[in-house]
Amino acid sequence: MIRPCLRAAPFGLGLAFLLISTAPAALAQQASTYPPALRSALPPIPDAQDIAYPGVITLDIDATNLAQHIFAVTETIPVANAGPMTLFFPEWLPGNHGPVGPIAQLAGIEITTNGQRVEWVRDPLHPFAYHVVVPAGATALNITMQHLSPTTGAQGRITMTPEMLNIQWEKMLLYPAGHWSRNITVQPTVKFPTGWQFGTALEPETKTGDVQTFKPVNLEVLIDSPVFAGVHYRQIDLNPGGRSPVRANFVADKADSLNATDDQIQILRNLVDQMDRLYGARHFDHYDFLIAMTDKLGGIGLEHHRSSENSVDPAFFTGWDTHLGDRDLLSHEMNHSWDGKWRRPADQYVPNFNSPLQNSLLWVYEGQTQYYGQVIAARSGLLTKQQAMDSLAMTAATYDTRVGREWRAMQDTTNDPIISQRQPKGWLSWQRDEDYYSEGQLIWLDVDTTIREKTGGRKSLDDFARAFYGVRDGDYAPAPYTFEDVVAALNGVVANDWATFLRTRLDADGPDARAPLDGLARGGWRLAFTDKPTDYMKTLYAELKRNDFTYSLGFQTGEANKIRSVQWDSLAFKSGLAAGMEIVAVNGQAATPDRLTEAVTAAKDPATPITLIVKDDDQYRTVVFDYHDGLRYPRLERIEGTPDRLGDILTARRR
C-alpha cells in the first residue's frame, strides 16, 4: 500500500482504544509492570482502527557488527496515555504469504521510560504480541533490542556478511497494536559500515558520517522498502531520461561481479521498456532493483511496490552463457509492482502485519506473474525465445506428471505458505507445493491463447493486463480485486464463460484430472520427449548440479549422487527409493551421473538391466530396474499447420 506523499500524524489523538476499562488511579498504582497475578488476565489485543497514531516512531539501526551478524536496534514509540498497551512484532509478511515473521531472531528486548524500566509480558495465545503498562507521565517508550542475523544457513536466511547486508525492517521493530499500518509514521536511521553504499526505495533526508537518516514514511511503506548495502556497490540507470527513475542497485561478494557489458545493461533496460509496453501505466514514482550477487548472503526474491529484493549468482554477468537459473527473477519481481502490490487480492488487503492474510487468489498474484515473468524475460532478451520455450517444456512435463492432482486441487496449494510455511517436502509430486506459481503459469497461457483464438489474433492477455493493471497512471493507492473482478475484466477483452473456464482448471482433482496443457496446443506446440536434454536444460542443470532421470527411472540426483526427489508411483518409488539416499554404484562401478546415463541408454537392450547399489544412512542394498525405454527429456514440438501463437507471445513488443 505505497503512499509516497506522507505526513506525520498529528500528535494528540488519544489511545483510548488501547486501554482496558480500569480506573486511572488503579492503572497508576500498577506502575510499569504486570504483577504475576495479572499475567493470567492480560487485556485483550485491540482491534485495528483506521485512525492516526500520535507522533512519529524513530527507529535507529546500527548495522556495523559484521563479524557477529548483529543488528543493534533502538526504537522510540510516542505514547499519549498511561495504561495497558500492546506492541506487535510483524507476523504475516507480504510476499511470504504466511505467518513467518522470524521472531526467534529478536532478542534482548528492554523497554524504559523516563529512566524507569517497563516490564513486558508476551501474550500466551498470540506470541507475536507484547503487553506493557505505560506509567503515568510517560510520553514515549524507549526500546533497545537486537536482530540476530543467522550466522550459518542452518539457522535461517543470512542477512549480514562481511561484504553486504540486507535490512528488512519487519525483522527489527515493534509497533503499536490497534492501528492500520498506513496510519503509523516511522522515521528510520541506519549506521552503515564505513565506506559502504546502499540502495533502497526510501528517500534519504540527512547524512552525518556513516549515519543515514531517511524521510519519515508510514509503517507499511517502511516494511515495503528494504535496504541492500555493501562494500562493493554499483548503481545503473535503467531508464535514462524516463518519466520516473528506474535503477539497478548491485552489491557483490567481489568487485569483479559488477562488470556488466553494455549488451547486458541494454537487456536490463529492455526489461523496463517491455514492462512499460505491456502495462502503459506506472504505479511508482521511482523503482529500485536491489540485487545481491552473492554466495554468502541468503537467497531471496521478494517483491515490493517501488523495489524488489533479488539474490543472483555472483557470475550473473561474468558467466552469462552458463548461468541461467536467475534469468527471469528480475522480470518476475518487477511485474509484482503492478500485480500483487498495486492491484492486490482483496483477501490480502489487511489492516496490519498481524492480521491474517488469505491466499485464494495467489494463482493470479503469483501465477500470472510467473507467466509474465517468463514472457517479459524472453521479450527483453534475459532469455532467448528458445530458452523460454525449453523452460516451458520443463514446466509442462513437471505438471503433466504431478500425480498429487489425484487427491488435491491446485487451488488448495494457495494455502501452502500458511500450512507448511515453505518447508521442503519429501514427496513433492504427491504432496504438491505452491503449484499456483507454475501450474498457474500454464493456466494463464491457456487464457492467453484462448483470447487469441477467439479474436483471430486481434487481442491477447496483454489487453487484459493493460485494462486491469495499466490504468490510473501515477496512482499508488492499492486497488484490491476479487475473482469476479478478474472474470469481468477478461469478459471485457472477449466474451467467454471465464468463471467456469478458470474454476475447472483451479478445482480439478481426482484420477481423471489432467494438467492444463491446452494452452500449449492452442499455441501451436506440444510436449514431447527425446533422449537428449535441450541446451537450456543441460546448461541449467549443470549450473544447479542436478541430473534428471524423472521421466525414465523416476528420480533426480544432485551433488555426491544424492537422490533429490523421487516421482510418486514411479519405478524408483516402487523400488523403495526416497530423497536423501545415495547411489554409490551403477552396474558394479562407482556411481557418476555419466555412468547412470550410459546405463539407462544401454538398457534399451531388453536383456540388459540397470543395477544400483544404494546407501540409506548406514544400510546398503541393491536395486534392479527392469526398464528399457531409454532416456527421456522434455522439449516442445511444433504442431504443423497451426498458428504459432506461442512464438508471438514471446516476441518483443515494438509499439
Side-chain angles (χ1 to χ4, degrees):
M1 304 175 192
I2 295 298
R3 293 171 180 267
C5 299
L6 303 160
R7 58 184 182 273
F11 197 86
L13 291 178
L15 295 178
F17 53 90
L18 291 176
L19 304 180
I20 60 172
S21 56
T22 304
L27 291 175
Q29 290 175 1
Q30 287 177 342
S32 61
T33 185
Y34 279 105
L38 286 182
R39 296 185 182 216
S40 60
L42 294 171
I45 297 172
D47 293 333
Q49 305 293 320
D50 194 5
I51 59 176
Y53 185 80
V56 177
I57 295 172
T58 61
L59 180 65
D60 300 325
I61 310 296
D62 186 330
T64 60
N65 191 345
L66 303 178
Q68 295 177 302
H69 300 215
I70 296 172
F71 294 86
V73 180
T74 302
E75 183 177 11
T76 300
I77 300 178
V79 293
N81 295 286
M85 181 177 185
T86 303
L87 302 175
F88 276 144
F89 180 80
E91 178 180 11
W92 290 80
L93 302 186
N96 293 265
H97 311 309
V100 295
I103 196 167
Q105 295 169 11
L106 190 70
I109 302 172
E110 293 187 6
I111 304 176
T112 62
T113 184
N114 297 327
Q116 178 183 0
R117 183 181 177 90
V118 177
E119 300 294 338
W120 56 266
V121 178
R122 189 189 305 271
D123 191 292
L125 296 179
H126 304 279
F128 286 71
Y130 299 83
H131 296 280
V132 300
V133 177
V134 178
T139 58
L141 296 179
N142 303 304
I143 305 172
T144 59
M145 53 193 176
Q146 302 87 41
H147 166 63
L148 306 176
S149 166
T151 55
T152 70
Q155 300 167 13
R157 179 175 174 265
I158 296 171
T159 55
M160 179 183 281
T161 78
E163 295 82 20
M164 67 181 68
L165 59 83
N166 177 196
I167 294 176
Q168 296 174 304
W169 306 100
E170 69 273 14
K171 296 182 177 180
M172 48 192 77
L173 59 78
L174 302 176
Y175 72 95
H179 288 269
W180 280 64
S181 300
R182 67 189 184 203
N183 292 325
I184 300 172
T185 303
V186 185
Q187 178 154 41
T189 296
V190 181
K191 182 178 182 182
F192 291 107
T194 299
W196 283 30
Q197 295 175 277
F198 64 86
T200 180
L202 294 175
E203 297 181 15
E205 184 172 79
T206 61
K207 188 173 188 295
T208 304
D210 299 323
V211 178
Q212 176 67 60
T213 299
F214 297 95
K215 293 181 180 179
V217 293
N218 72 46
L219 179 64
E220 185 166 303
V221 172
L222 178 69
I223 288 179
D224 201 44
S225 306
V227 179
F228 274 18
V231 64
H232 307 300
Y233 173 87
R234 181 182 182 185
Q235 185 180 89
I236 299 175
D237 184 353
L238 298 186
N239 194 207
R243 53 180 156 156
S244 54
V246 180
R247 301 169 287 238
N249 301 271
F250 292 94
V251 291
D253 293 339
K254 297 180 180 179
D256 289 350
S257 292
L258 300 173
N259 294 331
T261 67
D262 290 344
D263 287 344
Q264 290 164 342
I265 293 173
Q266 185 58 52
I267 286 172
L268 297 181
R269 289 174 174 165
N270 293 345
L271 163 60
V272 178
D273 177 64
Q274 290 299 314
M275 283 293 186
D276 278 339
R277 291 178 186 275
L278 175 62
Y279 292 118
R282 286 185 178 181
H283 303 291
F284 50 80
D285 52 351
H286 59 86
Y287 188 92
D288 284 86
F289 289 100
L290 310 179
I291 306 168
M293 313 179 81
T294 180
D295 284 327
K296 298 180 181 180
L297 197 77
I300 194 170
L302 188 60
E303 66 271 14
H304 303 284
H305 198 143
R306 294 186 298 171
S307 64
S308 58
E309 297 170 274
N310 309 273
S311 179
V312 300
D313 193 280
F316 182 79
F317 288 138
T318 59
W320 187 261
D321 292 334
T322 57
H323 289 72
L324 302 175
D326 303 317
R327 286 296 182 82
D328 65 336
L329 177 62
L330 302 183
S331 52
H332 180 103
E333 301 304 346
M334 188 181 193
N335 191 79
H336 275 312
S337 183
W338 291 267
D339 183 358
K341 300 307 293 185
W342 181 62
R343 295 225 69 169
R344 66 186 65 179
D347 58 10
Q348 296 216 341
Y349 186 66
V350 294
N352 58 37
F353 301 102
N354 293 72
S355 300
L357 300 170
Q358 296 181 61
N359 294 333
S360 67
L361 290 168
L362 285 185
W363 54 273
V364 185
Y365 181 134
E366 294 290 5
Q368 196 176 99
T369 293
Q370 185 73 8
Y371 178 71
Y372 271 124
Q374 289 260 311
V375 167
I376 296 298
R379 291 180 184 177
S380 65
L382 283 163
L383 292 170
T384 67
K385 182 183 290 188
Q386 187 61 53
Q387 288 170 338
M389 294 178 68
D390 293 345
S391 174
L392 183 59
M394 294 171 64
T395 298
T398 295
Y399 289 95
D400 193 42
T401 55
R402 187 53 51 95
V403 292
R405 186 176 290 102
E406 293 179 16
W407 71 275
R408 188 179 186 201
M410 192 276 275
Q411 176 68 67
D412 188 58
T413 73
T414 64
N415 295 304
D416 281 343
I418 298 172
I419 63 177
S420 65
Q421 299 195 13
R422 295 185 157 171
Q423 296 298 308
K425 294 181 177 178
W427 300 101
L428 182 60
S429 62
W430 184 241
Q431 293 169 278
R432 311 198 72 174
D433 184 42
E434 297 190 69
D435 289 348
Y436 54 83
Y437 275 94
S438 295
E439 189 167 327
Q441 174 190 358
L442 295 174
I443 289 174
W444 286 106
L445 174 62
D446 204 352
V447 173
D448 197 348
T449 54
T450 297
I451 294 172
R452 291 165 184 268
E453 182 180 62
K454 284 183 170 293
T455 63
R458 296 187 307 276
K459 293 184 179 181
S460 71
L461 190 66
D462 290 5
D463 293 280
F464 166 86
R466 185 169 286 255
F468 200 65
Y469 304 105
V471 294
R472 291 158 52 183
D473 187 31
D475 184 355
Y476 312 140
Y481 63 85
T482 64
F483 177 83
E484 291 73 22
D485 293 329
V486 174
V487 168
L490 287 170
N491 275 310
V493 177
V494 61
N496 190 33
D497 185 0
W498 288 112
T500 299
F501 181 102
L502 293 170
R503 292 261 55 102
T504 298
R505 289 153 178 79
L506 295 169
D507 300 331
D509 61 12
D512 297 327
R514 296 289 179 265
L517 299 188
D518 290 350
L520 273 181
R522 206 179 292 106
W525 297 80
R526 66 168 65 93
L527 176 65
F529 291 87
T530 64
D531 61 0
K532 289 183 173 55
T534 62
D535 289 342
Y536 173 83
M537 184 178 187
K538 186 176 181 179
T539 301
L540 178 66
Y541 276 18
E543 176 189 356
L544 300 177
K545 298 180 173 60
R546 296 179 188 174
N547 309 283
D548 200 352
F549 303 95
T550 300
Y551 308 107
S552 51
L553 301 180
F555 62 82
Q556 186 182 104
T557 64
E559 293 186 88
N561 301 302
K562 285 285 186 73
I563 295 176
R564 295 187 71 255
S565 65
V566 172
Q567 175 72 19
W568 187 269
D569 211 27
S570 65
L571 288 175
F573 178 86
K574 293 173 181 177
S575 298
L577 299 186
M581 295 180 182
E582 178 186 353
I583 301 172
V584 297
V586 179
N587 291 345
Q589 294 183 295
T592 66
D594 287 343
R595 282 178 176 156
L596 187 51
T597 298
E598 292 164 2
V600 176
T601 301
K604 293 175 76 173
D605 178 351
T608 304
I610 303 167
T611 303
L612 308 181
I613 297 177
V614 177
K615 182 177 183 288
D616 180 9
D617 197 9
D618 59 355
Q619 303 291 316
Y620 291 80
R621 63 190 179 91
T622 300
V623 176
V624 179
F625 288 95
D626 185 16
Y627 173 80
H628 308 285
D629 290 335
L631 297 164
R632 300 182 78 242
Y633 300 104
R635 65 175 63 233
L636 296 186
E637 181 180 84
R638 186 78 172 89
I639 303 174
E640 295 300 328
T642 62
D644 183 8
R645 297 186 177 104
L646 178 58
D648 181 65
I649 288 169
L650 299 175
T651 298
R653 298 304 183 244
R654 302 299 182 194
R655 55 179 177 82

